[in-house]
Amino acid sequence: MSKISIKSQKEIDGIRAASKVTAQILDAVGEIVRPGVSTEEINTFVHKMTLDAGCKPAPLNYHGFPKSVCTSVNEVVCHGIPSPYQQLQEGDIVNIDVTSIKEGYFGDASRMFFVGGPKACSEEACTLVETTKQALQIGIEQVRPGAHFGDIGAAIQEFIEATGKGYGIVREYTGHGIGNQFHEPPQIIHVGRRGTGAEMKPGMTFTIEPMINIGTHKTTLSRMDGWTVRTQDNKLSAQWEHTVLVTPTGYEKLTQSLAGYDY
Ligand code: MF3
Ligand code: CO
Ligand code: CO
């Protein structure tokens, strides 16, 4: 059994600082998302802004990942690789997943963007994106000392099932502990049962990052690049992610937007 670390004040400050840079990059990258922009241009933007902030982009060379950010368009669930040959089109939905390393500490978050604005996207895409954002928030609201990690997945699963839309919740990819490593124990599963899993304690830091599909929860891994994860039925998928800290009274969302958004 691998153990979930309790971070020291110094470690918490480090993760908080890295997370703040990640949030600032996501706040800024939203301004360049528009039809005709390539995912490679998004990568270049994130890469430069990361270095300008005195940080390193965690995805770059992580287990051989070739770029500095993940860009996951439409039916891509996660781990999409930026490419100069992939231009965003009006009506696309795209997840941008940024992880910054500052002084050895990691901050990980992702958000969805509507290419051409929300009005350019289909109603089903809009509803999926908004519902997934709410699922993340409901998951985060479970976080407090004494709660169990299974409470997060249970709350998300109950919420998604109650929509009655038949959405699939991805199982193969999970949230994770985070600190001076990108991925630490525990795995944060986005389905589950209350009261199961380890107990949360003040000083634990981890991500919650539900991936919700319009259709099946099942995914396929690209045999072409070994990274790109798609829905098995090629229907749309959405994801939002935050890095959170367990505080003595509840949670702190470390990757909260600093641009006045409610996420
Ligand atoms: N940021 C992703 C996560 O939320 C991990 C990306 S790994 C990469 O855990 F290698 F694809 F960058
Ligand atoms: Co991430
Ligand atoms: Co993550």
Side-chain angles (χ1 to χ4, degrees), residues 30-70:
E31 303 295 317
I32 72 157
V33 172
R34 56 176 166 72
V37 166
S38 72
T39 50
E40 177 70 20
E41 289 172 83
I42 292 171
N43 181 70
T44 303
F45 181 93
V46 170
H47 185 85
K48 280 214 180 90
M49 193 167 166
T50 305
L51 297 190
D52 288 348
C55 298
K56 287 197 294 188
L60 187 60
N61 300 321
Y62 181 74
H63 294 282
F65 191 80
K67 298 286 175 175
S68 298
V69 63
C70 296

mmCIF file of all heavy atoms in Angstrom, residues 30-70:
data_model
loop_
_atom_site.group_PDB
_atom_site.id
_atom_site.type_symbol
_atom_site.label_atom_id
_atom_site.label_comp_id
_atom_site.label_asym_id
_atom_site.label_seq_id
_atom_site.Cartn_x
_atom_site.Cartn_y
_atom_site.Cartn_z
ATOM 1 N N GLY A 30 -6.970 31.328 -22.766
ATOM 2 C CA GLY A 30 -8.345 31.470 -23.254
ATOM 3 C C GLY A 30 -8.486 32.585 -24.284
ATOM 4 O O GLY A 30 -9.308 32.498 -25.193
ATOM 5 N N GLU A 31 -7.645 33.595 -24.148
ATOM 6 C CA GLU A 31 -7.719 34.755 -25.052
ATOM 7 C C GLU A 31 -7.250 34.423 -26.465
ATOM 8 O O GLU A 31 -7.563 35.163 -27.409
ATOM 9 C CB GLU A 31 -6.877 35.910 -24.496
ATOM 10 C CG GLU A 31 -7.259 36.358 -23.086
ATOM 11 C CD GLU A 31 -8.654 36.962 -23.024
ATOM 12 O OE1 GLU A 31 -8.995 37.756 -23.925
ATOM 13 O OE2 GLU A 31 -9.389 36.611 -22.080
ATOM 14 N N ILE A 32 -6.481 33.359 -26.642
ATOM 15 C CA ILE A 32 -5.989 33.042 -27.996
ATOM 16 C C ILE A 32 -6.771 31.907 -28.655
ATOM 17 O O ILE A 32 -6.547 31.586 -29.817
ATOM 18 C CB ILE A 32 -4.471 32.734 -28.020
ATOM 19 C CG1 ILE A 32 -4.147 31.372 -27.394
ATOM 20 C CG2 ILE A 32 -3.661 33.849 -27.352
ATOM 21 C CD1 ILE A 32 -2.812 30.803 -27.879
ATOM 22 N N VAL A 33 -7.702 31.302 -27.921
ATOM 23 C CA VAL A 33 -8.498 30.222 -28.510
ATOM 24 C C VAL A 33 -9.545 30.828 -29.459
ATOM 25 O O VAL A 33 -10.396 31.597 -29.037
ATOM 26 C CB VAL A 33 -9.202 29.387 -27.412
ATOM 27 C CG1 VAL A 33 -10.172 28.387 -28.023
ATOM 28 C CG2 VAL A 33 -8.171 28.661 -26.548
ATOM 29 N N ARG A 34 -9.395 30.550 -30.743
ATOM 30 C CA ARG A 34 -10.368 31.018 -31.742
ATOM 31 C C ARG A 34 -10.225 30.149 -32.990
ATOM 32 O O ARG A 34 -9.207 29.451 -33.157
ATOM 33 C CB ARG A 34 -10.144 32.495 -32.073
ATOM 34 C CG ARG A 34 -8.750 32.794 -32.536
ATOM 35 C CD ARG A 34 -8.543 34.243 -32.949
ATOM 36 N NE ARG A 34 -7.122 34.539 -33.073
ATOM 37 C CZ ARG A 34 -6.336 34.091 -34.050
ATOM 38 N NH1 ARG A 34 -6.838 33.343 -35.027
ATOM 39 N NH2 ARG A 34 -5.047 34.388 -34.081
ATOM 40 N N PRO A 35 -11.224 30.190 -33.891
ATOM 41 C CA PRO A 35 -11.128 29.376 -35.105
ATOM 42 C C PRO A 35 -9.855 29.717 -35.882
ATOM 43 O O PRO A 35 -9.490 30.892 -36.000
ATOM 44 C CB PRO A 35 -12.379 29.773 -35.900
ATOM 45 C CG PRO A 35 -13.342 30.271 -34.878
ATOM 46 C CD PRO A 35 -12.501 30.934 -33.827
ATOM 47 N N GLY A 36 -9.174 28.706 -36.397
ATOM 48 C CA GLY A 36 -7.967 28.897 -37.202
ATOM 49 C C GLY A 36 -6.677 28.771 -36.423
ATOM 50 O O GLY A 36 -5.609 28.584 -37.020
ATOM 51 N N VAL A 37 -6.750 28.903 -35.100
ATOM 52 C CA VAL A 37 -5.536 28.739 -34.284
ATOM 53 C C VAL A 37 -5.195 27.252 -34.216
ATOM 54 O O VAL A 37 -6.081 26.414 -34.020
ATOM 55 C CB VAL A 37 -5.757 29.310 -32.869
ATOM 56 C CG1 VAL A 37 -4.666 28.869 -31.909
ATOM 57 C CG2 VAL A 37 -5.822 30.831 -32.923
ATOM 58 N N SER A 38 -3.921 26.937 -34.397
ATOM 59 C CA SER A 38 -3.531 25.523 -34.294
ATOM 60 C C SER A 38 -3.231 25.179 -32.837
ATOM 61 O O SER A 38 -2.872 26.053 -32.037
ATOM 62 C CB SER A 38 -2.306 25.228 -35.162
ATOM 63 O OG SER A 38 -1.151 25.812 -34.595
ATOM 64 N N THR A 39 -3.357 23.900 -32.537
ATOM 65 C CA THR A 39 -3.039 23.468 -31.172
ATOM 66 C C THR A 39 -1.539 23.643 -30.900
ATOM 67 O O THR A 39 -1.129 23.822 -29.758
ATOM 68 C CB THR A 39 -3.516 22.025 -30.928
ATOM 69 O OG1 THR A 39 -3.066 21.182 -31.991
ATOM 70 C CG2 THR A 39 -5.035 21.969 -30.851
ATOM 71 N N GLU A 40 -0.729 23.636 -31.966
ATOM 72 C CA GLU A 40 0.706 23.928 -31.810
ATOM 73 C C GLU A 40 0.910 25.365 -31.305
ATOM 74 O O GLU A 40 1.783 25.606 -30.455
ATOM 75 C CB GLU A 40 1.424 23.750 -33.147
ATOM 76 C CG GLU A 40 2.902 24.100 -33.125
ATOM 77 C CD GLU A 40 3.740 23.116 -32.327
ATOM 78 O OE1 GLU A 40 3.279 21.980 -32.096
ATOM 79 O OE2 GLU A 40 4.867 23.478 -31.935
ATOM 80 N N GLU A 41 0.105 26.310 -31.809
ATOM 81 C CA GLU A 41 0.219 27.702 -31.336
ATOM 82 C C GLU A 41 -0.154 27.799 -29.855
ATOM 83 O O GLU A 41 0.436 28.586 -29.109
ATOM 84 C CB GLU A 41 -0.670 28.633 -32.180
ATOM 85 C CG GLU A 41 -0.140 28.846 -33.593
ATOM 86 C CD GLU A 41 -1.146 29.606 -34.478
ATOM 87 O OE1 GLU A 41 -1.171 30.842 -34.405
ATOM 88 O OE2 GLU A 41 -1.903 28.940 -35.213
ATOM 89 N N ILE A 42 -1.133 27.010 -29.440
ATOM 90 C CA ILE A 42 -1.492 26.964 -28.013
ATOM 91 C C ILE A 42 -0.294 26.428 -27.215
ATOM 92 O O ILE A 42 0.067 26.960 -26.159
ATOM 93 C CB ILE A 42 -2.751 26.102 -27.808
ATOM 94 C CG1 ILE A 42 -3.960 26.812 -28.428
ATOM 95 C CG2 ILE A 42 -2.988 25.816 -26.317
ATOM 96 C CD1 ILE A 42 -5.216 25.974 -28.484
ATOM 97 N N ASN A 43 0.335 25.405 -27.751
ATOM 98 C CA ASN A 43 1.520 24.831 -27.086
ATOM 99 C C ASN A 43 2.636 25.865 -26.943
ATOM 100 O O ASN A 43 3.232 26.004 -25.869
ATOM 101 C CB ASN A 43 2.021 23.632 -27.888
ATOM 102 C CG ASN A 43 3.229 22.992 -27.246
ATOM 103 O OD1 ASN A 43 3.126 22.371 -26.191
ATOM 104 N ND2 ASN A 43 4.397 23.187 -27.846
ATOM 105 N N THR A 44 2.902 26.586 -28.028
ATOM 106 C CA THR A 44 3.958 27.605 -28.008
ATOM 107 C C THR A 44 3.651 28.670 -26.968
ATOM 108 O O THR A 44 4.523 29.082 -26.194
ATOM 109 C CB THR A 44 4.092 28.245 -29.406
ATOM 110 O OG1 THR A 44 4.360 27.202 -30.340
ATOM 111 C CG2 THR A 44 5.200 29.287 -29.454
ATOM 112 N N PHE A 45 2.388 29.098 -26.926
ATOM 113 C CA PHE A 45 1.955 30.117 -25.957
ATOM 114 C C PHE A 45 2.167 29.626 -24.523
ATOM 115 O O PHE A 45 2.747 30.323 -23.690
ATOM 116 C CB PHE A 45 0.478 30.448 -26.209
ATOM 117 C CG PHE A 45 -0.084 31.498 -25.297
ATOM 118 C CD1 PHE A 45 -0.075 32.836 -25.662
ATOM 119 C CD2 PHE A 45 -0.631 31.153 -24.058
ATOM 120 C CE1 PHE A 45 -0.594 33.810 -24.806
ATOM 121 C CE2 PHE A 45 -1.137 32.111 -23.204
ATOM 122 C CZ PHE A 45 -1.121 33.449 -23.576
ATOM 123 N N VAL A 46 1.709 28.414 -24.246
ATOM 124 C CA VAL A 46 1.827 27.864 -22.882
ATOM 125 C C VAL A 46 3.301 27.675 -22.519
ATOM 126 O O VAL A 46 3.731 28.007 -21.412
ATOM 127 C CB VAL A 46 1.039 26.544 -22.754
ATOM 128 C CG1 VAL A 46 1.356 25.832 -21.441
ATOM 129 C CG2 VAL A 46 -0.457 26.800 -22.889
ATOM 130 N N HIS A 47 4.062 27.163 -23.466
ATOM 131 C CA HIS A 47 5.485 26.912 -23.208
ATOM 132 C C HIS A 47 6.204 28.216 -22.829
ATOM 133 O O HIS A 47 6.890 28.289 -21.799
ATOM 134 C CB HIS A 47 6.142 26.276 -24.436
ATOM 135 C CG HIS A 47 7.559 25.885 -24.206
ATOM 136 N ND1 HIS A 47 7.914 24.683 -23.633
ATOM 137 C CD2 HIS A 47 8.727 26.554 -24.418
ATOM 138 C CE1 HIS A 47 9.230 24.632 -23.507
ATOM 139 N NE2 HIS A 47 9.742 25.745 -23.981
ATOM 140 N N LYS A 48 5.986 29.258 -23.649
ATOM 141 C CA LYS A 48 6.657 30.560 -23.404
ATOM 142 C C LYS A 48 6.227 31.156 -22.079
ATOM 143 O O LYS A 48 7.057 31.634 -21.296
ATOM 144 C CB LYS A 48 6.289 31.553 -24.526
ATOM 145 C CG LYS A 48 7.065 31.390 -25.807
ATOM 146 C CD LYS A 48 7.270 32.771 -26.458
ATOM 147 C CE LYS A 48 8.042 32.677 -27.766
ATOM 148 N NZ LYS A 48 7.140 32.489 -28.921
ATOM 149 N N MET A 49 4.923 31.140 -21.835
ATOM 150 C CA MET A 49 4.424 31.780 -20.612
ATOM 151 C C MET A 49 4.934 31.040 -19.370
ATOM 152 O O MET A 49 5.214 31.656 -18.340
ATOM 153 C CB MET A 49 2.892 31.837 -20.638
ATOM 154 C CG MET A 49 2.334 32.759 -19.577
ATOM 155 S SD MET A 49 0.595 33.141 -19.795
ATOM 156 C CE MET A 49 0.279 33.842 -18.138
ATOM 157 N N THR A 50 5.066 29.726 -19.493
ATOM 158 C CA THR A 50 5.590 28.919 -18.380
ATOM 159 C C THR A 50 7.030 29.324 -18.065
ATOM 160 O O THR A 50 7.385 29.575 -16.903
ATOM 161 C CB THR A 50 5.517 27.425 -18.737
ATOM 162 O OG1 THR A 50 4.177 27.082 -19.089
ATOM 163 C CG2 THR A 50 5.982 26.560 -17.570
ATOM 164 N N LEU A 51 7.843 29.414 -19.119
ATOM 165 C CA LEU A 51 9.253 29.779 -18.905
ATOM 166 C C LEU A 51 9.361 31.215 -18.375
ATOM 167 O O LEU A 51 10.174 31.492 -17.482
ATOM 168 C CB LEU A 51 10.055 29.638 -20.204
ATOM 169 C CG LEU A 51 10.169 28.239 -20.816
ATOM 170 C CD1 LEU A 51 11.186 28.243 -21.952
ATOM 171 C CD2 LEU A 51 10.514 27.165 -19.800
ATOM 172 N N ASP A 52 8.531 32.124 -18.924
ATOM 173 C CA ASP A 52 8.559 33.521 -18.472
ATOM 174 C C ASP A 52 8.225 33.632 -16.990
ATOM 175 O O ASP A 52 8.658 34.571 -16.316
ATOM 176 C CB ASP A 52 7.566 34.377 -19.285
ATOM 177 C CG ASP A 52 8.046 34.621 -20.709
ATOM 178 O OD1 ASP A 52 9.231 34.336 -20.997
ATOM 179 O OD2 ASP A 52 7.233 35.080 -21.544
ATOM 180 N N ALA A 53 7.429 32.682 -16.482
ATOM 181 C CA ALA A 53 7.066 32.698 -15.055
ATOM 182 C C ALA A 53 8.118 31.983 -14.204
ATOM 183 O O ALA A 53 7.922 31.778 -13.001
ATOM 184 C CB ALA A 53 5.703 32.037 -14.874
ATOM 185 N N GLY A 54 9.225 31.593 -14.841
ATOM 186 C CA GLY A 54 10.294 30.914 -14.102
ATOM 187 C C GLY A 54 9.977 29.465 -13.765
ATOM 188 O O GLY A 54 10.514 28.901 -12.817
ATOM 189 N N CYS A 55 9.079 28.882 -14.578
ATOM 190 C CA CYS A 55 8.637 27.502 -14.329
ATOM 191 C C CYS A 55 9.031 26.597 -15.486
ATOM 192 O O CYS A 55 9.497 27.054 -16.525
ATOM 193 C CB CYS A 55 7.117 27.459 -14.174
ATOM 194 S SG CYS A 55 6.538 28.424 -12.774
ATOM 195 N N LYS A 56 8.786 25.297 -15.282
ATOM 196 C CA LYS A 56 8.956 24.317 -16.351
ATOM 197 C C LYS A 56 7.598 23.690 -16.660
ATOM 198 O O LYS A 56 6.790 23.474 -15.737
ATOM 199 C CB LYS A 56 9.929 23.211 -15.926
ATOM 200 C CG LYS A 56 11.371 23.679 -15.892
ATOM 201 C CD LYS A 56 12.358 22.517 -15.877
ATOM 202 C CE LYS A 56 12.271 21.711 -14.600
ATOM 203 N NZ LYS A 56 13.339 20.705 -14.469
ATOM 204 N N PRO A 57 7.325 23.387 -17.950
ATOM 205 C CA PRO A 57 6.076 22.694 -18.294
ATOM 206 C C PRO A 57 6.212 21.199 -18.000
ATOM 207 O O PRO A 57 7.034 20.527 -18.624
ATOM 208 C CB PRO A 57 5.924 22.966 -19.789
ATOM 209 C CG PRO A 57 7.315 23.216 -20.287
ATOM 210 C CD PRO A 57 8.156 23.680 -19.135
ATOM 211 N N ALA A 58 5.419 20.698 -17.073
ATOM 212 C CA ALA A 58 5.565 19.306 -16.635
ATOM 213 C C ALA A 58 5.320 18.272 -17.744
ATOM 214 O O ALA A 58 5.957 17.223 -17.739
ATOM 215 C CB ALA A 58 4.650 19.036 -15.446
ATOM 216 N N PRO A 59 4.373 18.517 -18.673
ATOM 217 C CA PRO A 59 4.116 17.474 -19.677
ATOM 218 C C PRO A 59 5.326 17.177 -20.562
ATOM 219 O O PRO A 59 5.502 16.041 -20.996
ATOM 220 C CB PRO A 59 2.959 18.047 -20.509
ATOM 221 C CG PRO A 59 2.262 18.965 -19.558
ATOM 222 C CD PRO A 59 3.380 19.599 -18.756
ATOM 223 N N LEU A 60 6.152 18.195 -20.853
ATOM 224 C CA LEU A 60 7.232 18.042 -21.829
ATOM 225 C C LEU A 60 8.212 16.950 -21.396
ATOM 226 O O LEU A 60 8.842 17.048 -20.339
ATOM 227 C CB LEU A 60 7.964 19.384 -22.004
ATOM 228 C CG LEU A 60 9.019 19.439 -23.114
ATOM 229 C CD1 LEU A 60 8.401 19.138 -24.486
ATOM 230 C CD2 LEU A 60 9.696 20.813 -23.134
ATOM 231 N N ASN A 61 8.287 15.915 -22.225
ATOM 232 C CA ASN A 61 9.156 14.739 -21.987
ATOM 233 C C ASN A 61 8.689 13.850 -20.835
ATOM 234 O O ASN A 61 9.397 12.925 -20.454
ATOM 235 C CB ASN A 61 10.616 15.157 -21.770
ATOM 236 C CG ASN A 61 11.168 15.903 -22.970
ATOM 237 O OD1 ASN A 61 10.873 15.545 -24.101
ATOM 238 N ND2 ASN A 61 11.924 16.952 -22.729
ATOM 239 N N TYR A 62 7.495 14.120 -20.292
ATOM 240 C CA TYR A 62 6.959 13.250 -19.233
ATOM 241 C C TYR A 62 6.607 11.889 -19.840
ATOM 242 O O TYR A 62 5.704 11.803 -20.679
ATOM 243 C CB TYR A 62 5.729 13.903 -18.595
ATOM 244 C CG TYR A 62 5.118 13.095 -17.462
ATOM 245 C CD1 TYR A 62 5.736 13.032 -16.224
ATOM 246 C CD2 TYR A 62 3.930 12.394 -17.645
ATOM 247 C CE1 TYR A 62 5.180 12.290 -15.192
ATOM 248 C CE2 TYR A 62 3.364 11.653 -16.623
ATOM 249 C CZ TYR A 62 3.999 11.607 -15.395
ATOM 250 O OH TYR A 62 3.441 10.877 -14.371
ATOM 251 N N HIS A 63 7.312 10.859 -19.456
ATOM 252 C CA HIS A 63 7.162 9.535 -20.070
ATOM 253 C C HIS A 63 7.165 9.627 -21.592
ATOM 254 O O HIS A 63 6.427 8.890 -22.270
ATOM 255 C CB HIS A 63 5.890 8.830 -19.581
ATOM 256 C CG HIS A 63 5.929 8.479 -18.122
ATOM 257 N ND1 HIS A 63 6.626 7.391 -17.638
ATOM 258 C CD2 HIS A 63 5.389 9.084 -17.035
ATOM 259 C CE1 HIS A 63 6.496 7.334 -16.323
ATOM 260 N NE2 HIS A 63 5.762 8.355 -15.920
ATOM 261 N N GLY A 64 7.920 10.590 -22.120
ATOM 262 C CA GLY A 64 8.052 10.738 -23.566
ATOM 263 C C GLY A 64 7.006 11.611 -24.232
ATOM 264 O O GLY A 64 7.000 11.746 -25.462
ATOM 265 N N PHE A 65 6.118 12.259 -23.444
ATOM 266 C CA PHE A 65 5.141 13.169 -24.069
ATOM 267 C C PHE A 65 5.923 14.284 -24.770
ATOM 268 O O PHE A 65 6.823 14.880 -24.180
ATOM 269 C CB PHE A 65 4.177 13.736 -23.014
ATOM 270 C CG PHE A 65 2.996 14.461 -23.614
ATOM 271 C CD1 PHE A 65 1.897 13.764 -24.096
ATOM 272 C CD2 PHE A 65 2.986 15.855 -23.707
ATOM 273 C CE1 PHE A 65 0.805 14.424 -24.657
ATOM 274 C CE2 PHE A 65 1.899 16.527 -24.265
ATOM 275 C CZ PHE A 65 0.813 15.816 -24.738
ATOM 276 N N PRO A 66 5.560 14.590 -26.037
ATOM 277 C CA PRO A 66 6.441 15.459 -26.830
ATOM 278 C C PRO A 66 6.187 16.968 -26.716
ATOM 279 O O PRO A 66 6.948 17.739 -27.306
ATOM 280 C CB PRO A 66 6.171 14.994 -28.262
ATOM 281 C CG PRO A 66 4.757 14.509 -28.229
ATOM 282 C CD PRO A 66 4.525 13.950 -26.847
ATOM 283 N N LYS A 67 5.145 17.392 -26.021
ATOM 284 C CA LYS A 67 4.779 18.817 -26.012
ATOM 285 C C LYS A 67 4.616 19.314 -24.573
ATOM 286 O O LYS A 67 4.688 18.526 -23.622
ATOM 287 C CB LYS A 67 3.490 19.030 -26.810
ATOM 288 C CG LYS A 67 3.601 18.657 -28.281
ATOM 289 C CD LYS A 67 4.407 19.678 -29.072
ATOM 290 C CE LYS A 67 4.596 19.210 -30.513
ATOM 291 N NZ LYS A 67 5.267 20.238 -31.339
ATOM 292 N N SER A 68 4.321 20.623 -24.432
ATOM 293 C CA SER A 68 4.299 21.272 -23.113
ATOM 294 C C SER A 68 2.911 21.398 -22.510
ATOM 295 O O SER A 68 2.764 21.916 -21.394
ATOM 296 C CB SER A 68 4.932 22.658 -23.223
ATOM 297 O OG SER A 68 6.280 22.518 -23.627
ATOM 298 N N VAL A 69 1.901 20.980 -23.260
ATOM 299 C CA VAL A 69 0.513 21.083 -22.791
ATOM 300 C C VAL A 69 -0.292 20.001 -23.500
ATOM 301 O O VAL A 69 0.102 19.558 -24.582
ATOM 302 C CB VAL A 69 -0.044 22.502 -23.104
ATOM 303 C CG1 VAL A 69 -0.100 22.765 -24.607
ATOM 304 C CG2 VAL A 69 -1.414 22.741 -22.474
ATOM 305 N N CYS A 70 -1.386 19.568 -22.889
ATOM 306 C CA CYS A 70 -2.300 18.661 -23.576
ATOM 307 C C CYS A 70 -3.464 19.473 -24.124
ATOM 308 O O CYS A 70 -4.032 20.312 -23.413
ATOM 309 C CB CYS A 70 -2.836 17.589 -22.633
ATOM 310 S SG CYS A 70 -1.556 16.480 -21.992
#
